[in-house]
Amino acid sequence: MSNPKQAQETGLRRTFAIISHPDAGKTTITEKMLLFGNAIQLAGSVKSKRDDRHATSDWMKMEQERGISVTTSVMQFPYGGRMVNLLDTPGHEDFSEDTYRTLTAVDSALMVIDGAKGVEDRTIKLMEVCRLRTTPILTFVNKMDRDIRDPIEVMDEVETVLNIQCAPMTWPIGMGRQFKGVYHLYNDVIHLYTQGQGNRIPEDKRIEGLDSPEVDEVLGEDLAEELRMEVELVRGASHSFDLEAYRRGELTPVYFGTAMGNFGVREMLDGFVEYAPPPQARETDVREVPAEDERFTGFVFKIQANMDPNHRDRIAFLRVCSGKYQKNMKMRHVRINKDVKIADALTFMASDRAHVEEAWPGDIIGLHNHGTIQIGDTFTQGEDMRFTGIPHFAPELFKRVRLKDPLKMKALQKGLQQLSEEGATQVFMPLDNNDLILGAVGTLQFDVVAHRLKEEYKVDCMYEGVNVNTARWIYCDDPKMLEEFKRKASTNLAIDGGGYLTYIAPTRVNLQMTQERWPDIRFRETREH
Ligand code: G4P
């Protein structure tokens, strides 16, 4: 079921996120892409937040980061005849859960690597997440204007550490002060680098053909000869680009450049819009939903509370998976089985502030949330089904919450419920006592939660250590066995914020022994929403 307009709009969309280690250049390259998409006029507008950040306290920094990731959560811009949606992921490691979930809402990813540092931990982790859904990855090796490592060595590292084949698309000519440009291995064009053009769209100075005498004139005969030999070597020793292998997540096309110098980015973007997949079909518990399906469907991958402190609003970010969003349309909110009319969804055209009345597969819309929407929720045009694969990760750090004023219990519960809905923390309520235990993946999350409880819910709380080492979600098909397990293991069982049964283990050894004792009970490290 598809109509031509639906197929056309869907075919135009390219929805992706950037995966990288902090400082590799994600912010910088985002800004240059917006420049190419005419979404901003002068580079520097995104970047200036960084300077602000340095000047402020840690607290403010966090708040500001939150602000930034809100205003730039979704950036939509046209490029090369396509409509590109770039979903931002929070930079700080402690918010990685949010990043993981954002990766479930994209069709491909751009991996930015600092050429001097090579593959770093966070990139490895994010890559593992991309693997779960075989997300195609395009690679940009950044900072060629510095003395980086040998490009062949960098590609080798990507291949061995990340276990993905590399197909160089462009090849750098020199590096650091001697960086002259890139050679496009498939178009047979040399793009020459000029310093100091980072703030605008640089002129594309090109030489057609590696064998052109112009190459010798511009680069000098020695360098030209060296380049020709190197290119021959690289062609022989590396993988060739294979669209299918890229789409299967087995091979990554690699581009070189400098985000700061806004060079090599254009070639990468050209490759991106040409090869990156359009909106893909997505799995639900009932059937696979192709993007071309005419009936509207989508899922919520992120909730952001209190974006505007004066209005206390909460926005749910929904990825459109099929059909079309149209202002005033009626949608079924599947989990609560309710039909809602959506009149005021937000759309995110970075270049055009005017209200957009429709959205297509691959686009993100923001729904005003009055506490009924949770991460992972599915919206349809009446069909009863749920999108699967939006993960919730087992926390590694735990604290018990203590109220300074015991009369504020209600406000505390409300705050924790909303913050856990948003994914800012996870809450566990033991079956055996009235404790409230918070779980986090990174320690900074606790500070954020305390700060936000105070600012947004007027609740002062403290944390205490608690004897919990790790958590696992419990699944069992046999109700009788589950009951028995609940009875016997109740001291270590809790209900989480979403109402799911969780085993909170005091030690790894305890977890292991319990698992051995109950072989038919599944102890899951992730919970699907
Ligand atoms: P992130 O979002 O991935 O954390 O990285 P970001 O873009 O903020 O870049 C991290 C640092 O690397 C910044 O320097 C940025 O200017 C620099 N950088 C980014 N791309 C390039 C590049 O192609 N070449 C070089 N030489 N540097 C690059 P900073 O000192 O932390 O900030 P700033 O003072 O320069 O703004």
Side-chain angles (χ1 to χ4, degrees):
M1 268 179 291
S2 177
N3 65 37
K5 172 84 172 157
Q6 168 91 25
Q8 186 199 0
E9 292 287 348
T10 305
L12 290 181
R13 263 59 186 181
R14 296 292 180 275
T15 301
F16 79 113
I18 299 179
I19 59 173
S20 64
H21 194 83
D23 275 344
K26 187 181 75 165
T27 312
T28 313
I29 201 165
T30 298
E31 180 184 81
K32 307 305 158 157
M33 287 192 282
L34 293 179
L35 201 61
F36 277 111
N38 284 318
I40 53 172
Q41 299 314 319
L42 197 68
S45 19
V46 178
K47 206 63 217 291
S48 57
K49 53 108 179 170
R50 234 189 132 79
D51 310 330
D52 297 342
R53 254 199 266 157
H54 290 309
T56 48
S57 73
D58 272 6
W59 268 124
M60 288 305 294
K61 192 161 116 183
M62 245 155 35
E63 283 294 280
Q64 240 177 329
E65 268 172 6
R66 212 150 66 78
I68 289 153
S69 73
V70 170
T71 48
T72 61
S73 266
V74 183
M75 290 158 273
Q76 186 180 62
F77 58 92
Y79 185 83
R82 307 261 190 243
M83 190 52 86
V84 180
N85 291 308
L86 169 54
L87 309 199
D88 191 33
T89 50
H92 200 287
E93 178 167 14
D94 287 349
F95 296 102
S96 50
E97 273 190 82
D98 212 11
T99 305
Y100 291 143
R101 286 193 287 255
T102 297
L103 288 175
T104 64
V106 300
D107 301 298
S108 71
L110 170 66
M111 173 162 75
V112 177
I113 288 182
D114 180 330
K117 295 195 178 142
V119 178
E120 297 174 87
D121 344 331
R122 202 155 145 62
T123 312
I124 300 176
K125 269 192 167 171
L126 290 165
M127 185 73 178
E128 282 167 14
V129 180
C130 289
R131 281 266 150 72
L132 296 174
R133 298 186 52 248
T134 56
T135 307
I137 314 274
L138 196 124
T139 301
F140 187 80
V141 178
N142 192 24
K143 307 198 183 180
M144 290 306 302
D145 60 317
R146 286 199 184 156
D147 284 319
I148 66 147
R149 284 163 42 187
D150 178 352
I152 297 200
E153 202 185 297
V154 175
M155 286 202 311
D156 272 352
E157 190 172 280
V158 171
E159 295 208 334
T160 47
V161 178
L162 300 178
N163 191 22
I164 189 166
Q165 296 177 349
C166 287
M169 305 300 283
T170 59
W171 192 251
I173 308 168
M175 66 172 78
R177 281 161 186 247
Q178 303 306 318
F179 184 50
K180 304 283 185 216
V182 295
Y183 170 64
H184 199 298
L185 291 161
Y186 291 81
N187 302 350
D188 191 24
V189 173
I190 289 176
H191 301 271
L192 293 167
Y193 171 57
T194 315
Q195 254 187 345
Q197 301 208 354
N199 289 339
R200 50 197 153 105
I201 297 179
E203 185 194 341
D204 183 18
K205 280 201 239 158
R206 37 201 288 161
I207 305 175
E208 309 281 339
L210 188 60
D211 292 327
S212 154
E214 208 186 331
V215 181
D216 301 78
E217 275 164 43
V218 174
L219 297 181
E221 274 177 26
D222 290 349
L223 187 53
E225 215 32 56
E226 204 179 299
L227 175 65
R228 289 183 185 115
M229 275 163 59
E230 199 172 79
V231 165
E232 203 177 299
L233 191 95
V234 167
R235 281 196 205 277
S238 63
H239 297 275
S240 305
F241 178 64
D242 172 347
L243 183 63
E244 290 313 311
Y246 157 64
R247 293 272 179 95
R248 285 195 304 267
E250 292 162 9
L251 172 143
T252 177
V254 182
Y255 295 82
F256 292 85
T258 154
M260 200 171 72
N262 200 6
F263 183 82
V265 178
R266 176 177 5 225
E267 289 67 40
M268 183 277 292
L269 257 180
D270 288 344
F272 172 79
V273 292
E274 186 170 349
Y275 305 123
Q280 298 292 290
R282 280 170 197 261
E283 276 304 330
T284 69
D285 56 352
V286 175
R287 63 182 178 100
E288 196 185 66
V289 179
E292 294 75 21
D293 203 331
E294 266 186 67
R295 286 166 296 175
F296 172 87
T297 64
F299 67 87
V300 172
F301 62 94
K302 174 180 177 129
I303 290 178
Q304 193 99 41
N306 305 327
M307 280 166 64
D308 176 351
N310 297 323
H311 291 101
R312 285 304 189 85
D313 56 348
R314 278 183 278 166
I315 299 295
F317 290 84
L318 177 140
R319 147 125 192 176
V320 180
C321 296
S322 68
K324 162 186 169 186
Y325 160 77
Q326 198 157 21
K327 197 178 156 155
N328 287 325
M329 76 180 285
K330 225 160 83 187
M331 302 180 191
R332 164 88 39 98
H333 184 177
V334 176
R335 186 177 47 80
I336 58 171
N337 195 23
K338 215 174 138 185
D339 289 323
V340 282
K341 187 170 139 184
I342 307 288
D344 53 355
L346 307 171
T347 43
F348 303 94
M349 284 285 285
S351 57
D352 181 4
R353 293 268 161 233
H355 238 69
V356 181
E357 307 272 313
E358 20 176 78
W360 299 95
D363 288 344
I364 310 300
I365 57 176
L367 305 178
H368 292 279
N369 178 18
H370 307 287
T372 49
I373 306 179
Q374 290 181 6
I375 293 170
D377 280 359
T378 297
F379 286 78
T380 65
Q381 274 187 307
E383 200 172 350
D384 188 10
M385 64 183 185
R386 287 150 218 263
F387 285 96
T388 54
I390 305 132
H392 207 80
F393 290 86
E396 305 268 303
L397 304 163
F398 297 86
K399 300 247 191 232
R400 183 187 288 122
V401 190
R402 278 271 174 265
L403 271 175
K404 287 191 183 154
D405 174 359
L407 293 178
K408 290 277 178 127
M409 193 52 161
K410 256 201 145 134
L412 174 69
Q413 281 171 340
K414 179 175 170 207
L416 287 180
Q417 192 222 326
Q418 294 193 352
L419 292 175
S420 70
E421 249 171 36
E422 195 189 315
T425 182
Q426 298 184 38
V427 186
F428 299 95
M429 290 153 282
L431 295 186
D432 265 8
N433 58 52
N434 291 325
D435 282 352
L436 282 171
I437 296 172
L438 292 195
V441 177
T443 169
L444 212 77
Q445 273 176 270
F446 292 121
D447 298 341
V448 173
V449 167
H451 179 73
R452 292 186 59 188
L453 281 173
K454 191 163 177 197
E455 291 296 311
E456 294 162 26
Y457 302 92
K458 310 291 170 230
V459 179
D460 255 324
C461 69
M462 299 172 298
Y463 294 123
E464 289 174 353
V466 58
N467 191 22
V468 178
N469 175 280
T470 186
R472 292 289 182 276
W473 283 283
I474 297 300
Y475 294 87
C476 178
D477 301 325
D478 177 352
K480 250 171 90 183
M481 181 180 296
L482 187 61
E483 276 315 307
E484 194 189 341
F485 178 65
K486 270 164 108 170
R487 235 183 16 248
K488 296 217 165 122
S490 68
T491 40
N492 293 324
L493 285 172
I495 299 294
D496 78 356
Y500 293 84
L501 187 65
T502 322
Y503 188 80
I504 45 178
T507 61
R508 295 264 164 188
V509 176
N510 168 288
L511 174 66
Q512 202 181 337
M513 281 168 51
T514 311
Q515 280 173 310
E516 280 165 16
R517 208 170 302 143
W518 299 88
D520 294 327
I521 289 198
R522 298 195 300 283
F523 294 74
R524 300 264 301 262
E525 275 186 57
T526 55
R527 186 194 101 196
E528 273 192 11
H529 283 281

